[in-house]
């Protein structure tokens, strides 16, 4: 997907409301987006109005739909995160989204929206936090962003990785945040796992939580259907050097030496994170 100078892009917050105190950083992000040649248009439902909400689920869903229906909006970037993105799913018209498809970018709790967009429309979406453009790795992130989205280069998408087990892995990628993805379990929004690659990452969570989540995936029968697992970064686990490691947990809980498992340090909650395309076929 390509953007060009002067294109308008939508800025939304489908998950937890941003605090009013974060407006300074958001304004910096908007200025940065403008400096790259795009025109950002913000939803009215981004900042806190009460508790964790910027508005009711219905109005947040409507705000997102309005960007899909607006022909001048060429891409949509979600700048929120937290816990509540999945409550807007019933308010999305996936037939309209499929008809007026445009790239949607978000990460963490937006795992729910991104995978629902793929499962319901067949179109890919983008696991990426645009606020990386203003964090400590902003120079490199802005360079990748411009090269990839304006110049059809793959800097933002190309990943370095290593095999933990296996030698080759092919399939369409689904998944995202290990906790948030499980919110789709038992719902019509969960993608089919047959012949897919399951991507997992996390900001928080210790050995106990990771064990719980992985066993739920196993008990759902997912590991028997997929072609492999791609592990991103697990920030707390890796920062605190918790044992057993996430890689060891996955190998032990999956319990299948034939299932390819790949590790990348380039997708997750880190400010250096690249973009993973959910709903796209990858070859490792």
């Amino acid at each position: 997907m390509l953007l060009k100078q002067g294109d308008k892009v939508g800025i939304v917050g489908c998950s937890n409301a941003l605090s009013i105190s974060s407006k300074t950083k958001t304004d910096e992000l908007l200025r940065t987006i403008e400096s790259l040649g795009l025109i950002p248009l913000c939803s009215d439902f981004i900042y806190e109005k009460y508790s964790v909400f910027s508005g009711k689920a219905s109005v947040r869903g409507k705000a997102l739909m309005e960007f899909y229906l607006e022909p001048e909006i060429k891409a949509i970037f979600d700048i929120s995160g937290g816990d509540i993105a999945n409550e807007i799913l019933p308010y999305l018209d996936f037939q309209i989204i499929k008809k007026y498809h445009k790239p949607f970018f978000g990460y963490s709790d937006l795992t729910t929206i991104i995978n629902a967009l793929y499962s319901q429309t067949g179109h890919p979406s983008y696991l990426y936090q645009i606020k990386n453009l203003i964090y400590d790795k902003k120079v490199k992130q802005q360079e990748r962003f411009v090269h990839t989205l304006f110049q059809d280069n793959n800097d933002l998408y190309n990943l370095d990785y290593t095999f933990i087990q296996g030698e080759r892995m092919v399939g369409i990628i689904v998944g995202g945040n290990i906790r948030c993805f499980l919110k789709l379990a038992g719902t019509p929004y969960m993608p089919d796992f047959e012949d897919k690659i399951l991507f997992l990452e996390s900001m928080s969570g210790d050995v106990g939580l990771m064990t719980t989540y992985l066993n739920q995936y196993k008990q759902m029968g997912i590991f028997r259907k997929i072609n492999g697992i791609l592990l991103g970064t697990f920030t707390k686990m890796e920062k605190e050097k918790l044992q057993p490691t996430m890689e060891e947990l996955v190998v032990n809980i999956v319990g299948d030496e034939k299932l390819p498992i790949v590790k990348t340090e380039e997708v997750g909650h880190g400010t250096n994170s690249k973009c993973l395309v959910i709903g796209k076929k990858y070859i490792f």
Side-chain angles (χ1 to χ4, degrees), residues 39-254:
I39 303 171
L41 300 179
C42 291
S43 160
D44 292 331
F45 304 98
I46 290 177
Y47 296 104
E48 58 190 0
K49 290 185 170 61
Y50 58 100
S51 185
V52 299
F53 306 101
S54 61
K56 294 181 179 179
S58 58
V59 298
R60 300 199 323 272
K62 182 180 179 183
L64 177 56
M65 290 305 305
E66 287 174 351
F67 280 142
Y68 276 105
L69 288 166
E70 173 51 61
E72 291 190 341
I73 298 293
K74 303 304 180 185
I76 302 168
F77 296 92
D78 193 293
I79 59 173
S80 66
D83 298 293
I84 63 172
N86 65 331
E87 76 166 348
I88 79 164
L89 290 173
Y91 300 100
L92 302 183
D93 188 327
F94 291 100
Q95 290 305 309
I96 288 178
I97 292 173
K98 185 174 183 177
K99 181 178 181 180
Y100 299 105
H101 171 66
K102 49 193 72 175
F104 179 94
F105 292 76
Y107 89 140
S108 193
D109 192 42
L110 279 301
T111 293
T112 55
I113 306 294
I114 288 169
N115 282 273
L117 289 173
Y118 167 63
S119 71
Q120 301 303 301
T121 72
H123 291 303
S125 290
Y126 299 81
L127 195 71
Y128 182 71
Q129 172 55 278
I130 195 174
K131 288 192 285 189
N132 286 337
L133 297 180
I134 61 169
Y135 292 153
D136 60 318
K137 303 292 192 303
K138 62 185 179 181
V139 173
K140 189 64 177 178
Q141 288 282 12
Q142 290 177 27
E143 180 182 288
R144 289 173 182 161
F145 188 89
V146 170
H147 287 176
T148 301
L149 300 186
F150 289 92
Q151 300 171 9
D152 203 19
N153 188 297
N154 283 326
D155 286 2
L156 195 60
Y157 304 137
N158 288 337
L159 303 179
D160 288 332
Y161 57 88
T162 56
F163 273 88
I164 296 170
Q165 64 180 34
E167 298 178 347
R168 189 170 187 269
M169 186 169 73
V170 181
I172 292 173
I173 287 191
V174 297
N177 181 269
I178 189 171
R179 172 182 69 90
C180 297
F181 193 35
L182 284 173
K183 297 176 188 180
L184 299 182
T187 75
Y189 308 110
M190 182 66 99
D192 174 52
F193 288 93
E194 201 68 43
D195 297 326
K196 301 296 193 302
I197 293 172
L198 175 63
F199 172 72
L200 299 172
E201 63 83 31
S202 183
M203 172 71 173
S204 59
D206 57 14
V207 171
L209 280 176
M210 295 303 114
T211 299
T212 293
Y213 298 147
L214 288 170
N215 274 286
Q216 184 173 350
Y217 285 104
K218 184 174 185 176
Q219 291 161 20
M220 290 168 65
I222 290 172
F223 297 148
R224 296 194 301 270
K225 297 178 181 179
I226 57 176
N227 287 350
I229 297 173
L230 173 63
L231 297 175
T233 57
F234 290 80
T235 308
K236 179 176 179 176
M237 290 280 294
E238 293 163 6
K239 181 179 180 180
E240 298 183 7
K241 295 181 170 54
L242 300 182
Q243 297 290 329
T245 66
M246 192 62 190
E247 294 93 319
E248 290 169 337
L249 285 175
V250 172
V251 169
N252 291 336
I253 292 171
V254 168

Side-chain angles (χ1 to χ4, degrees), residues 252-275:
N252 291 336
I253 292 171
V254 168
D256 181 356
E257 295 179 359
K258 295 181 179 179
L259 186 70
I261 301 173
V262 173
K263 170 70 173 173
T264 180
E265 303 294 335
E266 296 190 317
V267 186
H269 276 67
T271 56
N272 67 325
S273 183
K274 292 184 177 179
C275 178

